């Protein structure tokens, strides 16, 4: 779930308020956006992807990070290089190459197909337990 | 940076919506955006409304899509149809499968022309266009839709359809949730429902916007559903989170807490899920050769991001895994679209993507990982074009009426609380928790029995009555009460259909009927809200035709 808006990095562009699919943030006329409804956060990391200044940190936990957790501590997160991490991978931001240029999903879908169990021969001879693997 | 000179976000107004368009698209994921593009290409005026933000919202934006991307050469497509026909439990439609492959192939080339940054040539044997990374794909779709002149209305969930005296759909209404839930109404010659599936707010990656709103709205105007028994798809996620991308688990070995290895190969889902019912399961991606690691990361950066943030090396360290319900998102049930261009059984109403049944192209097994993304593209394109054509010159007969009921207009309030029932009797969060307690557990939903299904329905049926009676919109931004109502409706459709299929077929597993019965190789239609009815599709078509 979203844990941190860095006061130092945020430029109040409002993009996170606009783009969050579950409407977690509230705009504030006198301060940075606030995390108004953390419990609605679906941990999709897309606010991180769209924030132009790498000011947001979404913890990977599906619930709120416990008190005292480094996942809530801006300083420690900054030290570990945790701001803007997703944006780096997808290559968004000035002068970067889109990460999708390095997409090799084909390798893994092909490999998976090769691993498929043999198919049942006739209608009705299958049981659900033989259901093939799928991504 | 808090100076008053800055024009702050909260000062912005909601987008002004037009009173009427030719085609109104509900939902701005892949299906909705492809529908809007196709409708605009036919010359229609188009508005697209999204609960969230077109570009980040929905399963594809967060998860990305490997596509059913089969070249036209040779017999590749015929073989793909054969394979899926068998795997899907003999419920597919070969004509639509072929059409979906053809449309997807063309659409992906349109994306390439529009500038999607596909892998460059020098990296491989050729330019591979079969994988779309979510943020990039949906950001581009947003741009394309806006360039095509479509009015995009974000953060504005639709809550209900409008219908006329002939029972045709003639528009929709909803709220601007970032502006005090200010209401909006848009009249339309045709409406495309592309609101995604229903994942029951399980937290599965990108799926909490997918609460089944569209199917509820459609059912309220009389639309039928199909394949609702195939609604129990679960994704695998690290226990600490909810990242349900599955492809990389092909490299997993699984074990118990004490380190005992489980004999479950890669992504062997039913076996893995049976093991999870028995006790905690741990995974490690130790079957991936080290030279693959970097490729894996570049292919699915958001699969690895949570591990990096946790400081876990998933190739070397064990991590707990759990099953997260994805419901009809990676299941296949949804609004029945038997008509040309994904027309539903209601005039003026079209459905596309995960909101629609995907049995045509994937049968009863999940279409996640290839078919669903292809279906979103193709069904969206077909529905948008057909909606535009059908909208020409269509006008409502009589006065359009809003059709929404459960979670929107509680019956007790409508009755003026004359009966003395407390209108605030149920709250959305309580309803959600009650539904989740019946649909999330693997032992209730993944592995079904007649007795268990009946027991769940004994909870869900009265819950529906309570919702109809007294669940009212709260003063929270958004449409939480409506979402809760849609989830109860889905749970009841799902389990009624599951009871009506006393066999195991594809993802639908009945532990009291483990075999597959060739006589049941037919689809089931479901309809109704207060009274839910299930019948074989063929019998149903015959009734409608007569
Ligand atoms: C983790 C994950 C990985 C996946 N990977 C693959 C894959 O590799 N290959 C594949 O083929 N498929 C995959 N799928 C499935 C694929 O993503 C979906 O089939 C696809 O996103 C469906 O598109 P859609 O537009 O119908 O729905 P979505 O993408 O879910 O979009 C639905 C949209 O409707 C909006 N909406 C919802 N309710 C309302 C309302 N009331 N009013 C207005 N708007 C509303 C939502 O905000 C959202 O924008 C995956 C799914 C998941 C969850
Ligand atoms: S997107 Fe980033 S910079 Fe913009 S308001 Fe949000 S946190 Fe601040
Ligand atoms: S992670 Fe997703 S849901 Fe959570 S705040 Fe960011 S954009 Fe919103």
């Amino acid at each position: 779930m979203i844990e941190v808006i860095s006061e130092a990095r945020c430029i109040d562009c409002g993009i996170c308020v606009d783009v969050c699919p579950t409407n977690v943030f509230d705009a504030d006329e006198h301060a940075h956006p606030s995390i108004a409804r953390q419990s609605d956060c679906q941990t999709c990391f897309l606010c991180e992807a769209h924030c132009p200044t790498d000011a947001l940190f979404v913890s990977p936990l599906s619930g709120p990070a416990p008190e005292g957790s480094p996942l809530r501590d801006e300083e420690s997160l900054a030290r570990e290089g945790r701001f803007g991490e997703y944006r780096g991978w997808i290559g968004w931001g000035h002068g970067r190459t889109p990460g999708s240029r390095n997409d090799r999903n084909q390798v893994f879908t092909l490999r998976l197909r090769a691993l498929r169990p043999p198919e049942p021969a006739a209608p009705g001879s299958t049981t659900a337990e033989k259901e093939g693997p799928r991504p | 940076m808090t100076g008053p000179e800055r024009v702050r976000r909260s000062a912005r107004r909601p987008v002004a919506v037009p009173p009427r368009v030719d085609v109104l698209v509900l939902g701005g994921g892949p299906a909705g955006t492809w529908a809007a593009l196709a409708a605009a290409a036919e010359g229609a005026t188009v508005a697209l409304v999204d609960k969230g933000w077109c570009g980040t919202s929905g399963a594809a934006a967060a998860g990305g899509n490997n596509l059913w991307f089969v070249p036209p050469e040779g017999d590749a497509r015929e073989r793909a149809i054969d394979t899926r026909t068998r795997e899907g439990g003999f419920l597919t439609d070969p004509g639509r499968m072929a059409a979906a492959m053809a449309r997807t192939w063309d659409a992906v080339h349109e994306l390439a022309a529009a500038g999607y940054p596909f892998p460059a040539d020098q990296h491989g044997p050729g330019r591979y266009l079969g994988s779309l990374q979510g943020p990039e794909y949906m950001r581009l779709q947003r741009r394309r839709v806006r360039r095509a002149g479509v009015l995009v209305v974000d953060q504005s969930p639709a809550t209900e359809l409008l219908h006329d005296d002939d029972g045709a759909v003639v528009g929709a209404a909803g709220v601007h949730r970032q502006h005090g839930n200010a209401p909006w109404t848009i009249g339309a010659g045709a409406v495309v429902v592309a609101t995604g599936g229903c994942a029951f707010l399980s937290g599965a990656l990108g799926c909490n916007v997918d609460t089944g709103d569209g199917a509820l709205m459609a059912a309220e105007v009389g639309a039928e559903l199909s394949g609702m028994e195939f609604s129990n798809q679960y994704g695998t996620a690290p226990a600490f989170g909810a990242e349900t991308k599955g492809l990389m688990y092909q490299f997993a070995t699984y074990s118990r807490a004490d380190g005992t290895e489980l004999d479950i190969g890669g992504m062997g889902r039913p076996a893995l899920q049976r093991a999870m019912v028995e006790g905690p399961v741990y995974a490690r991606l130790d079957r991936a050769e080290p030279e693959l690691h970097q490729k894996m990361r570049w292919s699915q950066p958001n699969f690895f991001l949570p591990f990096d943030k946790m400081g876990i090396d998933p190739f070397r360290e064990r991590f707990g895994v759990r099953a997260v319900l994805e419901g009809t998102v990676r299941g296949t049930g949804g609004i029945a679209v038997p008509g040309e261009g994904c027309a539903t059984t209601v005039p003026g109403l079209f459905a596309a993507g995960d909101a629609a049944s995907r049995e045509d192209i994937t049968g009863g097994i999940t279409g996640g990982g290839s078919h669903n993304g292809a279906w979103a593209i193709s069904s969206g394109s077909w529905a948008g074009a057909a909606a535009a054509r059908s909208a020409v010159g269509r006008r409502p007969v009589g006065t359009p009426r809003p059709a929404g009921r459960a979670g929107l207009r509680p019956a007790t309030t409508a009755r003026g609380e004359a009966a003395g029932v407390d209108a605030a009797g149920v709250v959305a969060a309580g309803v959600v928790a009650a539904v989740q307690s019946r649909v999330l557990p693997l032992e209730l939903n993944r592995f079904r029995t007649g007795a268990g299904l009946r027991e769940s329905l004994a909870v869900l049926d009265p819950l529906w009555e309570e919702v109809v009676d007294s669940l009212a919109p709260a003063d929270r931004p958004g449409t939480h009460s409506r979402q809760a109502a849609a989830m109860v409706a889905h749970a009841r459709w799902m389990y009624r259909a599951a009871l009506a299929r006393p066999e195991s077929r594809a993802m639908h597993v009945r532990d009291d009927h483990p075999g597959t019965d060739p006589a049941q190789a037919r689809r089931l239609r479901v309809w109704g809200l207060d009274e839910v009815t299930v019948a074989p599709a063929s019998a149903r078509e015959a009734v409608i035709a007569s």
Side-chain angles (χ1 to χ4, degrees):
Chain A
M1 282 181 167
I2 178 80
E3 291 290 348
V4 179
I5 299 182
S6 161
E7 300 261 327
R9 294 162 188 253
C10 174
I11 55 163
D12 300 328
C13 66
I15 288 175
C16 54
V17 183
D18 285 344
V19 305
C20 171
T22 58
N23 198 26
V24 161
F25 304 97
D26 269 349
D28 187 322
E29 254 174 276
H30 306 289
H32 301 302
S34 62
I35 301 171
R37 288 164 295 274
Q38 188 197 29
S39 62
D40 286 343
C41 173
Q42 60 172 354
T43 319
C44 65
F45 306 112
L46 285 165
C47 51
E48 278 191 16
H50 283 264
C51 172
T53 61
D54 296 338
L56 297 166
F57 177 77
V58 179
S59 127
L61 304 178
S62 53
E67 190 111 26
S69 162
L71 297 170
R72 287 168 61 163
D73 176 9
E74 180 173 343
E75 250 173 67
S76 131
L77 291 167
R79 235 184 357 256
E80 304 284 323
R82 292 287 174 235
F83 286 98
E85 206 172 6
Y86 191 27
R87 212 170 150 75
W89 276 105
I90 61 176
W92 284 8
H94 195 67
R96 286 177 171 157
T97 304
S100 61
R101 294 249 186 248
N102 296 317
D103 185 344
R104 296 290 172 273
N105 267 291
Q106 186 186 20
V107 172
F108 307 108
T109 49
L110 283 176
R111 184 180 180 278
L112 186 65
R113 215 168 297 153
L115 292 177
R116 278 238 165 100
E119 286 148 12
S125 67
T126 170
T127 76
E129 295 297 296
K130 286 194 204 132
E131 177 194 335
R134 67 91 172 126
Chain B
M1 288 256 198
T2 50
E5 72 284 355
R6 196 173 276 282
V7 179
R8 289 195 174 272
R9 168 68 194 46
S10 54
R12 292 188 208 162
R13 296 221 168 87
V15 173
V17 304
R20 210 189 135 72
V21 291
D22 295 329
V23 174
L24 174 60
V25 180
L26 309 181
T33 50
W34 284 103
L37 288 170
E42 295 280 328
T45 56
V46 186
L48 179 157
V49 300
D50 199 289
K51 179 193 280 183
W53 194 76
C54 170
T56 56
S57 203
N65 282 176
N66 275 297
L67 294 175
W68 204 27
F69 186 68
V70 188
E73 289 83 26
D75 64 348
R77 290 188 180 169
E78 279 153 48
R79 279 189 289 119
I81 291 174
D82 270 5
T83 308
R84 190 48 66 132
T85 301
R86 275 193 302 266
E87 291 176 347
F90 302 92
L91 299 168
T92 43
D93 172 343
R96 264 198 179 157
M97 292 166 105
M101 276 186 274
R103 175 61 198 130
T104 302
W105 183 264
D106 291 346
V108 167
H109 286 87
E110 289 162 30
L111 283 175
Y116 180 93
F118 284 106
D121 291 349
Q122 66 268 26
H123 288 300
R127 215 157 116 90
Y128 183 65
L129 310 182
S131 165
L132 300 171
Q133 294 192 342
E136 202 69 70
Y137 175 26
M138 292 313 299
R139 183 173 71 167
L140 178 59
Q141 282 294 90
R142 180 183 180 89
R143 285 188 188 145
R144 295 179 70 210
V145 160
R146 287 167 62 108
R147 253 185 255 135
V150 172
L151 177 78
V152 176
V153 188
D154 300 301
Q155 303 288 357
S156 300
T159 52
E160 60 183 330
L161 296 172
L162 312 177
H163 54 170
D164 70 4
D165 289 355
D166 278 359
V169 171
V170 293
V175 300
H176 299 291
R177 67 179 180 181
Q178 293 191 336
H179 298 275
N181 276 355
W184 58 260
T185 299
I186 304 177
V191 174
V192 180
V193 173
T195 48
C198 178
F200 295 95
L201 290 173
S202 67
L205 183 62
C207 293
N208 275 10
V209 291
D210 295 328
T211 49
D213 310 1
L216 173 60
M217 291 188 261
E220 283 171 337
V221 296
E224 300 185 3
L225 299 112
S226 184
M228 290 308 290
E229 66 277 33
F230 305 116
S231 47
N232 51 346
Q233 187 64 38
Y234 288 77
T236 303
F240 61 78
E243 155 67 69
T244 47
K245 287 168 73 77
L247 191 60
M248 295 307 163
Y249 287 101
Q250 66 182 288
F251 298 106
T253 55
Y254 300 98
S255 53
R256 289 289 183 201
D258 65 3
T260 324
E261 207 169 301
L262 290 163
D263 182 24
I264 301 167
M267 295 163 65
R269 217 148 279 256
L272 174 61
Q273 291 164 346
R274 293 241 184 239
M276 285 173 171
V277 173
E278 282 156 25
V281 175
Y282 297 78
R284 175 164 47 206
L285 306 182
D286 49 10
R287 288 188 180 164
E289 300 81 357
E291 56 277 18
L292 281 179
H293 294 182
Q294 207 57 15
K295 283 199 179 81
M296 293 165 74
R297 286 179 167 280
W298 279 118
S299 299
Q300 306 211 341
N302 56 350
F303 177 88
F304 292 97
L305 186 68
F307 293 106
D308 292 347
K309 289 184 172 193
M310 291 297 282
I312 295 173
D313 176 351
F315 299 113
R316 288 194 189 82
E317 290 170 63
R318 295 197 315 149
F319 52 95
V321 284
R322 65 186 182 111
V324 181
L325 181 64
E326 293 175 339
T328 64
V329 171
R330 285 207 268 192
T332 64
I335 302 166
V337 284
E340 182 71 27
C342 290
T344 69
T345 48
V346 176
L349 186 65
F350 298 77
D354 289 353
S357 165
R358 277 135 290 153
E359 286 163 299
D360 279 338
I361 66 156
T362 185
I365 63 165
T366 181
S370 57
H371 293 57
N372 279 0
W375 170 255
I377 290 172
S378 45
S379 64
S381 305
W382 300 328
R389 289 193 293 268
S390 86
V392 176
R394 267 193 69 229
R395 285 273 155 189
V397 178
T399 315
R401 280 168 290 115
R405 212 164 49 101
L408 203 56
R409 294 189 182 84
T412 40
T413 327
R415 291 200 299 267
E417 284 163 65
V421 182
D422 179 8
V426 281
V427 295
V431 173
V432 168
V435 181
Q436 287 181 334
S437 75
R438 304 312 306 188
V439 299
L440 298 189
L442 285 167
E443 55 274 32
L444 291 180
N445 193 4
R446 183 69 182 92
F447 305 112
R448 297 162 166 175
T449 61
L453 292 168
R454 273 186 289 271
E455 196 184 289
S456 289
L457 285 165
V459 174
L460 295 165
D461 287 344
L463 184 63
W464 174 255
E465 283 173 27
E466 265 184 85
V467 165
V468 169
D469 253 15
S470 60
L471 181 61
D475 56 358
R476 232 184 136 207
T479 51
H480 301 268
S481 58
R482 195 62 171 150
Q483 295 182 168
M487 286 169 49
V488 186
H490 274 77
R492 293 173 69 234
W493 290 326
M494 235 157 83
Y495 284 169
R496 281 265 143 62
L499 264 181
R501 191 180 279 287
E503 64 159 351
S504 294
R505 182 178 297 273
M507 81 174 71
H508 167 68
V509 174
R510 283 280 299 263
D511 276 347
D512 50 348
H513 295 276
T516 300
D517 169 13
Q520 295 186 51
R522 40 132 177 79
R523 299 190 196 174
L524 297 175
R525 282 282 176 84
V526 188
W527 66 95
L529 285 161
D530 295 339
E531 203 62 60
V532 175
T533 312
V534 186
S538 45
R540 185 63 188 154
E541 295 293 354
V543 171
I544 294 171
S546 66

